[in-house]
């Protein structure tokens, strides 16, 4: 735990809810606050479920007709409830609007509450789906019912799942027509960009992205979950790997590109109106379990563990929950069916010779100026620190317009990178992106301000750059409509020792051993 840490984020008080903030131009203000509860919220009681009673969340594209019909019937019953009922589909969709559009304030604070772009992202959505699933099961009278997950990390699951196209209560009219089946999902998608790949190339790119976001790019807890977010902190301290891709990209790809905010799925306030939203977030929830199965541990900071949310349960009672009770999905009564993680040992091609330097012909990144075209900077390394901690690229002071999407890619030792460069390459570090409805954060006027971090230790290893004194970092922005440019205040390398995965710790031990052997051989 960091010295001087503040208090955990407390659950919002529903009576202080207000209209959502940051709606895009053309969207009229509307109320997405939950119905009020005139007494204290009930504390959640964790009852560990026997293994034999676990509900199983299945891959959506594999559902048989019987299960798909049950899923459709469950949503039909939910949609038939009065809109003011907190269990209704309208109110369930509004949960995402309220928590993700800063309609709530942190409990015992005047600061807006935003569950995206911080360490709260995974736990909030796990709890959201948990209660959503229990409401559906209650309406069906079937306690074995479980939500399916969109298995877009498998080649057979890379289209909108059939049940969400074929059954009336699972469809949504505000999806991008050109992305309906048989179109393959683009996990590197960002608004309005057509695929420049064949279907086979897109599948390979999708698998490389999942490998990068779950394995090579997420060797520490904060890289995977996102940055710490405590009481009275400004929102959006920093994304985890999965939130940019596939989270943001799947949202953006699915929503109708010609609608305001690219809704439904393409914007925070409307995403929950599409039933496939819940399958998408079940997939992300599954990745949390997969990431831990690779030898990674949950964050143990008390401010994280004691952060709170409130949700209505299947009895229309307001329940207060804590992050610490969400860490083990089996204790919440469900698991995911075993599916093949075909991306787990994925390899990517190198596009460079590894070592790189600036020749004087490249455009240099200028701090404080709009990023409108690819630019590069050469950054000095601390080789000794790189033997102890995971090398991380820190992009500080990212500023951009609210309510407009923003996006750039980052590459290491590939100064020739452009928007046409395939991101399924070894030199690719990651993406910064925001949705069309931007997250309200620490603002000056109409601008957001945030930061982004990319783990590059595995890239340095793969390109055999551990002995190099510097690295060349290249940022490739997209500023075509509807994107807006961003500015940055600083680029630097840092070395993270906290929350390292067991795999990354072993790699660093091996590097230190090689470094010692090299020194001895030179004596």
């Amino acid at each position: 735990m960091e010295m001087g840490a503040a208090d955990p984020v407390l659950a919002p008080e529903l009576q202080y809810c207000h209209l959502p903030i940051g709606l895009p131009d053309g969207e009229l203000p509307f109320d997405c606050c939950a119905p009020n509860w005139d007494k204290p919220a009930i504390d959640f009681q964790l009852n560990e479920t026997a293994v034999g009673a676990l509900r199983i969340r299945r891959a959506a594209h594999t559902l048989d007709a019987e299960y798909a019909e049950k899923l459709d019937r469950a949503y039909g019953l939910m949609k038939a409830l009065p809109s003011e009922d907190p269990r209704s589909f309208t109110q369930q969709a509004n949960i995402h609007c309220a928590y993700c559009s800063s309609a709530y304030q942190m409990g015992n604070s005047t600061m807006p509450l935003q569950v995206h772009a911080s360490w709260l992202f995974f736990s909030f959505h796990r709890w959201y789906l948990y209660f959503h699933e229990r409401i559906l099961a209650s309406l069906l009278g079937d306690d074995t019912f479980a939500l399916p997950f969109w298995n877009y990390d498998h080649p057979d699951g890379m289209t909108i799942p059939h049940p969400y196209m074929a059954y009336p209560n699972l469809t949504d009219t505000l999806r991008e027509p050109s992305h309906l089946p048989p179109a393959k999902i683009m996990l590197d998608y960002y608004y309005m960009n057509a695929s420049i790949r064949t279907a086979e190339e897109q599948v390979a790119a999708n698998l490389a992205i999942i490998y990068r976001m779950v394995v090579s790019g997420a060797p520490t807890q904060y890289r995977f979950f996102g940055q710490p977010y405590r009481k009275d902190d400004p929102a959006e301290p920093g994304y985890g790997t999965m939130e940019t891709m596939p989270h943001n990209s799947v949202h953006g790809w699915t929503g109708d590109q010609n609608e305001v905010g690219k809704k439904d799925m393409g914007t925070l306030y409307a995403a929950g109106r599409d039933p496939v939203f819940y399958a998408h977030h079940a997939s992300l929830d599954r990745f949390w379990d997969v990431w831990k199965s690779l030898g990674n541990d949950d964050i143990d900071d008390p401010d994280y563990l004691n952060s709170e949310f409130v949700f209505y349960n299947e009895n229309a009672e307001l329940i207060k929950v804590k992050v610490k009770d969400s860490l083990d999905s089996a204790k919440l009564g469900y698991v995911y069916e075993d599916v093949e993680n075909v991306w787990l040992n994925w390899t990517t091609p190198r596009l460079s010779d590894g070592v790189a330097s600036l020749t004087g012909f490249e455009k240099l990144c200028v701090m404080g100026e709009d990023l409108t075209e690819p630019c590069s900077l050469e950054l000095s390394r601390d080789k000794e620190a790189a033997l102890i901690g995971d090398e991380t690229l820190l992009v500080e002071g990212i500023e951009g317009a609210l309510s407009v999407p923003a996006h750039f890619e980052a590459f290491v030792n590939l100064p020739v990178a452009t928007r046409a460069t395939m991101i399924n390459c070894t030199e690719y570090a990651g993406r910064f992106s925001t949705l069309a409805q931007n997250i309200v954060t620490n603002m000056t006027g109409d601008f957001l301000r945030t930061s982004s971090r990319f783990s590059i230790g595995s890239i340095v290893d793969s390109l055999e750059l551990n002995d190099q004194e510097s690295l060349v970092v290249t940022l490739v922005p997209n500023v075509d409509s509807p994107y807006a440019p961003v500015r940055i205040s600083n680029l630097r390398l840092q070395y993270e020792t906290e929350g390292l995965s067991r795999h990354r710790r072993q790699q660093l031990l091996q590097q230190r051993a090689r470094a010692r052997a090299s020194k001895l051989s030179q004596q």
Side-chain angles (χ1 to χ4, degrees), residues 20 63 87 123 207 249 304 362 376 381 498 505 514-515:
L63 296 184
R87 303 169 301 158
S123 180
L207 297 176
S249 54
Y304 170 72
E362 301 87 357
S376 301
R381 299 180 66 235
E498 186 175 356
R505 287 198 297 268
R514 288 195 296 269

Side-chain angles (χ1 to χ4, degrees), residues 375-391:
C375 65
S376 301
L377 277 181
E378 190 165 351
L379 304 179
S380 297
R381 299 180 66 235
D382 185 334
K383 292 190 292 183
E384 293 300 319
L387 294 174
I388 300 171
D390 188 67
E391 197 156 10

